Amino acid sequence: MAETFRLKIIAPTGIFFDEDIERIVIRGTEGEFAVLAEHTPLTTTVAIGTFNIIFGDKKSKCGTLLGGVATINPRETIILTDAAEWPEEIDLKRAQEAKERALQRLKDDKYDAARAQAALERAIARINSKEGL
Amino acid sequence: MAENVQDIKRRIKSVNSTKQITHAMELVASAKLRKSRELAEGRRPYFEAMIESMGRIVEKSGSTRNVFMNQREVKKVAYIVITGDKGLAGGYNVNVAKLVEDHVANKEDAVIYAVGSRGRDHFRNRDYTIQGEYLGISERPNFFNAREVTAVVMEGFKNGEYDEVYIAYTKFISTISQHASLMKLLPLSVEDLKPVKKAEVVENEGKSKDLTVMLYEPEPEELLTYLIPNFVSSTVYGSMIESAASEQGARRTAMESATTNANEMIDALTLKFNRVRQAAITQEISEIVSGAEALK
């Protein structure tokens, strides 16, 4: 069994995840990256997207992170996120509606483009994580 | 014996129905209080982890050039006032409003952002400038409400509309004790982040000795632009939750004493009722007796 490390995902509403894992793949703002045990200390931003956790027994679990900051230490990684979700918690229909709405709003000048863009990214991340299940 | 039996009976009835209402409100407030407290506890880990990483970054980048950390000459001050949407909570709403009023040096230089209609009404009636109002969220605030308020305030601060931002909320000490407090939100002071940082260093030394230099990607300054709004939002969110819990606590206490008062009143009225009734009976008897005497 490969070496494991502690992963904590903390959202404003409470601790979302706190277990020993072998590997996590996250989408950072600078690109996708994987974290293993004994990673060099690093603090980086997390983009809106899916993450994939691989446990010591090779089981995996994926979910959605809606942006945040990851603090990586050799034995422990802490992700502070705005919100995190498991695919079970995602309503696919709602996400698809949100995607449509965001696309509409991006075409329209009336709405704040940055907000619509963020909403679009969130919706896409949710759909991806749901379909990846 | 000015009052007659019927009047007193009616009063007892009316006090009793008021008592039932206050008692029901007390129960509702206790249930809501439990929920608010759970929320408040759920926030803590995020907030602590946030302070920790902020402290580390601030230490690393030394003096930051971030707008939100720069002290400047104070001309205008903004206040975020967190109160409830409803009354009947004892001094809960008034205490917060009073605190802000005492702190304001000059009405013209103060800007109010009111969360909760009670606070808004209070300051509107006193001719303060109300720049924003957020109603209907006091009871169950969520993080996105807090972020919305924060975004507006931070924008104003950045544009120089005001040079300091305070938040007035009610600290939740225990179910029977809440305290109105005023906290400086912006500019952030580097000193605030320092004590936490020291504690964390000690902890880290115990955990792993080979603590190599932390890398930052992107630059610390850029990370701060993400962290600061979230830190402030988190602070605002925390204050909102604490206020929500305090509101329920204050209401529970107020309703509890109202129920006790109603009970006392009913006791006093019942005593009076019995006396009046007895007096009427006594009078009747003496009338009959004297009537009988007269017939002899």
Side-chain angles (χ1 to χ4, degrees), chain A residues 10-15 29-30 38 40-46 66-69 71-76 78 80-83, chain B residues 39 42-43 45-46 49-50 52-53 56-57 143-144 147 204 207-208 210-218 223 226-227 230 237:
Chain A
I10 308 173
T13 46
I15 295 176
T29 38
E30 320 271 298
E38 301 299 335
T40 185
L42 171 75
T43 301
T44 188
T45 45
V46 176
L66 302 183
V69 164
T71 309
I72 300 160
N73 277 310
R75 312 261 15 128
E76 183 186 57
I78 298 170
L80 286 174
T81 179
D82 296 355
Chain B
L39 269 179
R43 176 199 81 110
Y46 180 81
M50 173 76 80
E52 198 180 306
S53 45
R56 217 171 342 187
I57 293 170
F143 191 62
F144 295 97
R147 172 171 284 173
N204 261 342
K207 248 191 265 170
S208 58
D210 56 340
L211 194 72
T212 37
V213 184
M214 177 70 82
L215 296 171
Y216 292 94
E217 193 189 291
L223 275 172
Y226 169 83
L227 280 171
N230 271 288
Y237 177 60

Side-chain angles (χ1 to χ4, degrees), chain B residues 140-198:
Chain B
R140 278 192 79 78
N142 67 40
F143 191 62
F144 295 97
N145 299 142
R147 172 171 284 173
E148 199 186 313
V149 181
T150 310
V152 173
V153 174
M154 287 184 84
E155 191 64 30
F157 182 82
K158 207 166 99 188
N159 296 340
E161 282 174 45
Y162 26 80
D163 312 292
E164 260 182 350
V165 180
Y166 286 87
I167 184 162
Y169 70 108
T170 310
K171 214 181 222 159
F172 185 84
I173 296 162
S174 72
T175 40
I176 48 159
S177 163
Q178 300 88 28
H179 201 266
S181 19
L182 194 70
M183 192 167 65
K184 194 191 214 173
L185 204 59
L186 291 172
L188 296 170
S189 71
V190 183
E191 280 69 40
D192 281 352
L193 299 165
K194 269 182 182 153
V196 189
K197 196 187 65 200
K198 267 181 207 139

Side-chain angles (χ1 to χ4, degrees), chain B residues 54-291:
Chain B
M54 287 258 298
R56 217 171 342 187
I57 293 170
V58 169
E59 179 199 38
K60 156 96 182 177
S61 60
S63 62
T64 49
R65 298 182 302 271
N66 202 294
V67 192
F68 299 109
M69 289 194 158
N70 282 341
Q71 313 279 335
R72 43 190 200 217
E73 200 196 330
V74 180
K75 283 184 220 102
K76 279 202 132 190
V77 186
Y79 294 88
I80 302 175
V81 184
I82 302 177
T83 59
D85 284 325
K86 294 175 197 143
L88 288 180
Y92 169 74
N93 293 314
V94 181
N95 287 347
V96 173
K98 275 259 161 61
L99 193 70
V100 174
E101 260 176 38
D102 290 345
H103 192 268
V104 173
N106 195 344
K107 237 189 219 184
E108 276 74 47
D109 294 334
V111 176
I112 306 278
Y113 288 89
V115 178
S117 59
R118 288 278 149 170
R120 179 203 58 183
D121 296 347
H122 181 99
F123 288 103
R124 197 171 52 190
N125 293 341
R126 283 161 184 78
D127 293 323
Y128 280 82
T129 322
I130 295 171
Q131 198 115 314
E133 51 180 68
Y134 305 88
L135 311 181
I137 58 169
S138 299
E139 206 168 275
R140 278 192 79 78
N142 67 40
F143 191 62
F144 295 97
N145 299 142
R147 172 171 284 173
E148 199 186 313
V149 181
T150 310
V152 173
V153 174
M154 287 184 84
E155 191 64 30
F157 182 82
K158 207 166 99 188
N159 296 340
E161 282 174 45
Y162 26 80
D163 312 292
E164 260 182 350
V165 180
Y166 286 87
I167 184 162
Y169 70 108
T170 310
K171 214 181 222 159
F172 185 84
I173 296 162
S174 72
T175 40
I176 48 159
S177 163
Q178 300 88 28
H179 201 266
S181 19
L182 194 70
M183 192 167 65
K184 194 191 214 173
L185 204 59
L186 291 172
L188 296 170
S189 71
V190 183
E191 280 69 40
D192 281 352
L193 299 165
K194 269 182 182 153
V196 189
K197 196 187 65 200
K198 267 181 207 139
E200 174 233 334
V201 168
V202 175
E203 195 189 320
N204 261 342
E205 276 170 358
K207 248 191 265 170
S208 58
K209 292 224 159 54
D210 56 340
L211 194 72
T212 37
V213 184
M214 177 70 82
L215 296 171
Y216 292 94
E217 193 189 291
E219 287 300 298
E221 291 290 333
E222 230 175 287
L223 275 172
L224 275 182
T225 58
Y226 169 83
L227 280 171
I228 289 175
N230 271 288
F231 174 76
V232 180
S233 303
S234 185
T235 313
V236 173
Y237 177 60
S239 320
M240 281 180 172
I241 295 182
E242 278 210 24
S243 291
S246 301
E247 183 183 352
Q248 299 308 338
R251 180 163 297 131
R252 205 190 68 96
T253 319
M255 289 301 118
E256 197 185 300
S257 67
T259 311
T260 318
N261 284 346
N263 274 332
E264 271 168 28
M265 252 174 109
I266 289 173
D267 286 348
L269 282 171
T270 313
L271 190 70
K272 205 168 167 191
F273 172 78
N274 288 338
R275 273 201 194 128
V276 171
R277 193 190 56 181
Q278 193 55 54
I281 293 168
T282 314
Q283 200 185 354
E284 224 167 280
I285 289 174
S286 70
E287 272 166 17
I288 291 168
V289 171
S290 58

Side-chain angles (χ1 to χ4, degrees), chain A residues 27-64:
Chain A
R27 241 191 94 198
T29 38
E30 320 271 298
E32 203 161 65
F33 63 95
V35 182
L36 291 152
E38 301 299 335
H39 194 289
T40 185
L42 171 75
T43 301
T44 188
T45 45
V46 176
I48 296 171
T50 53
F51 65 89
N52 199 356
I53 296 168
I54 292 154
F55 293 97
D57 53 7
K58 302 294 170 210
K59 275 187 193 141
S60 73
K61 207 169 185 182
C62 63
T64 323

